Amino acid sequence: MRTRKLNKYIAFLILISTICINTAFAYDESTAVPASFYNIETITYSPVTTNTDYSFSEGTSRTKYAIKLVEYSNDTTSTESYKAIPHINIENRTATLSSSTLSEVCTLVAKVEIDYDSNSIDHSTTYYELTETQTYIYPRVNLNYTADDFTITLYYVFDYPSTLGTNDSEYLSLDTGGATNLYLFYLTNNVETVFYYGNLTDSIITPAIADFSAYDTYLNINFSRPNTWTETGFFENLGSNYHEWTVSMQVGPSTATNTNYQVGLDITSDNNFTLISTDPGSGIKEVPYSIKLSETSSSNTVEIDSTDKILIQRIRRNREKVFYIYTYSSYSDTSALNSGRFTDNIYLNFTTIETGETYNADETIRVFSE
């Protein structure tokens, strides 16, 4: 079977253990642009507050300053019907807009316009304040009506107590605190199907129109913790493989079920595969560990180095490609450890294998069978 290259770059972050840090964003002169570049306008809307299959309501009308970010428009199909009216998932939803003297936190609002193919309902316009990771952005009481098309416009909205942003000579900086990765998806038999991925930060200065055609084929990657996982499990299982994550991969939706895809993978770490305690104390603050991968079970693992390239093959639409991530440490003297939380960030970088590119045998660890 001929193997095709998956024409996409995908990167995911996995945390062995996490710690939350509150960061204060400030005006950054190096990223500042003239205020007029942000196309600041005023919008008035009533946000949706209740949105279930049986009940729908909108809240109090409010007027906000707004930066138009991007507009997404798409026609539905006879097979997708209303299901093509998407849910939305956005990472790093807020941003801080600052000048040299003032700053304001911006939140995301989606304006959703839907045309229905029905005599009972023709058109609807609703607004959603995106405060959750995954959000319905259509009136669910209209699920029985077929939609012809939809348009989603995303704004950063904010309240300014002054005239900040109205002076053309003023410079502003917009800090999102990280990539604002955006996913549009719909549900089929309670299974999420992503049909568009983008990054809002690419459209902040110049509002853009999304090109859906580029995302007919995508790679869906899911991460899950095993039921036995605990925050202390790594240290309780020193000297043996500890199951950290299960990763499943599947291609969809337009590729044929018997078409095989492949992606490259390399794994890196902020601390070069060392857990570090930042708490004060006189105990040992660093614990080295290694990463192991397996396609079946911990009894058949391959240890991975940061310089290794892993080739994952036979990714298909009609079945999941699953592999397992384990951590291992030969460290044993837990009585001498420093108190507090030990952390490291592990990065799984899934990369496009370009046409004509090959992974040399001495560079590749073939963890996964053909």
Side-chain angles (χ1 to χ4, degrees):
M1 181 64 67
R2 185 165 64 94
T3 298
R4 295 186 181 180
K5 312 298 189 291
L6 190 64
N7 189 24
K8 206 167 174 58
Y9 173 86
I10 303 169
F12 279 82
L13 167 65
I14 290 183
L15 304 179
I16 284 185
S17 56
T18 60
I19 184 167
C20 296
I21 301 175
N22 294 322
T23 304
F25 299 109
Y27 175 71
D28 184 352
E29 186 174 350
S30 66
T31 62
V33 298
S36 58
F37 281 23
Y38 285 114
N39 301 309
I40 296 175
E41 58 185 85
T42 302
I43 62 172
T44 300
Y45 64 95
S46 299
V48 171
T49 56
T50 303
N51 190 11
T52 69
D53 294 354
Y54 310 103
S55 180
F56 176 85
S57 62
E58 296 174 318
T60 305
S61 176
R62 57 200 63 182
T63 298
K64 300 274 190 177
Y65 292 99
I67 298 173
K68 181 180 177 181
L69 297 173
V70 67
E71 182 179 286
Y72 304 96
S73 296
N74 200 26
D75 294 330
T76 64
T77 69
S78 58
T79 56
E80 292 170 346
S81 186
Y82 69 82
K83 297 171 184 174
I85 305 170
H87 298 53
I88 195 167
N89 184 340
I90 301 178
E91 301 166 355
N92 291 313
R93 295 178 299 281
T94 61
T96 300
L97 186 65
S98 305
S99 71
S100 58
T101 58
L102 296 171
S103 67
E104 181 80 6
V105 175
C106 305
T107 57
L108 273 170
V109 166
K111 176 185 178 183
V112 182
E113 301 172 89
I114 302 172
D115 291 319
Y116 291 93
D117 183 17
S118 170
N119 293 327
S120 301
I121 180 172
D122 177 46
H123 180 87
S124 75
T125 300
T126 48
Y127 289 83
Y128 303 83
E129 294 180 336
L130 304 178
T131 58
E132 299 179 2
T133 301
Q134 297 180 352
T135 307
Y136 296 103
I137 52 173
Y138 57 88
R140 295 179 64 190
V141 292
N142 296 335
L143 283 178
N144 292 327
Y145 298 104
T146 301
D148 285 336
D149 57 69
F150 65 86
T151 299
I152 305 167
T153 307
L154 293 177
Y155 300 91
Y156 273 135
V157 300
F158 50 92
D159 297 302
Y160 267 124
S162 69
T163 58
L164 180 62
T166 61
N167 184 348
D168 289 341
S169 63
E170 187 172 29
Y171 279 73
L172 301 176
S173 175
L174 189 64
D175 192 336
T176 60
T180 51
N181 295 321
L182 162 75
Y183 305 85
L184 297 179
F185 62 95
Y186 55 88
L187 295 179
T188 303
N189 298 323
N190 292 321
V191 176
E192 295 178 5
T193 299
V194 177
F195 66 93
Y196 180 77
Y197 161 79
N199 188 329
L200 286 183
T201 53
D202 295 336
S203 306
I204 286 176
I205 302 301
T206 304
I209 303 297
D211 178 13
F212 287 93
S213 61
Y215 299 94
D216 287 343
T217 299
Y218 65 88
L219 176 61
N220 188 33
I221 305 177
N222 290 310
F223 298 90
S224 62
R225 294 280 198 191
N227 294 331
T228 56
W229 187 90
T230 65
E231 286 192 351
T232 58
F234 171 84
F235 289 102
E236 294 166 355
N237 290 272
L238 292 173
S240 61
N241 295 331
Y242 187 64
H243 188 181
E244 293 282 356
W245 288 89
T246 300
V247 183
S248 62
M249 310 171 70
Q250 198 163 9
V251 175
S254 62
T255 181
T257 57
N258 61 347
T259 301
N260 293 315
Y261 288 83
Q262 62 183 28
V263 293
L265 168 65
D266 64 85
I267 302 177
T268 57
S269 161
D270 280 348
N271 301 329
N272 194 26
F273 301 118
T274 302
L275 291 175
I276 297 178
S277 172
T278 57
D279 285 29
S282 58
I284 295 173
K285 296 183 174 65
E286 297 187 2
V287 177
Y289 65 93
S290 59
I291 293 291
K292 295 184 179 183
L293 301 184
S294 173
E295 193 177 25
T296 54
S297 67
S298 60
S299 61
N300 184 28
T301 59
V302 176
E303 186 170 329
I304 302 300
D305 188 81
S306 61
T307 60
D308 289 330
K309 294 183 179 180
I310 302 99
L311 186 63
I312 305 176
Q313 298 175 300
R314 295 186 63 82
I315 307 170
R316 301 172 66 174
R317 191 185 78 172
N318 60 335
R319 68 182 182 189
E320 287 185 322
K321 186 75 171 182
V322 179
F323 65 93
Y324 305 91
I325 301 174
Y326 298 87
T327 52
Y328 174 86
S329 178
S330 59
Y331 188 89
S332 59
D333 187 11
T334 56
S335 63
L337 287 177
N338 197 58
S339 61
R341 174 172 293 190
F342 286 74
T343 67
D344 190 17
N345 293 333
I346 301 175
Y347 301 88
L348 269 67
N349 306 296
F350 294 91
T351 57
T352 300
I353 301 175
E354 302 294 344
T355 301
E357 180 184 1
T358 59
Y359 274 18
N360 296 327
D362 59 347
E363 295 178 330
T364 304
I365 293 181
R366 294 179 179 269
V367 181
F368 310 103
S369 62
E370 292 288 338

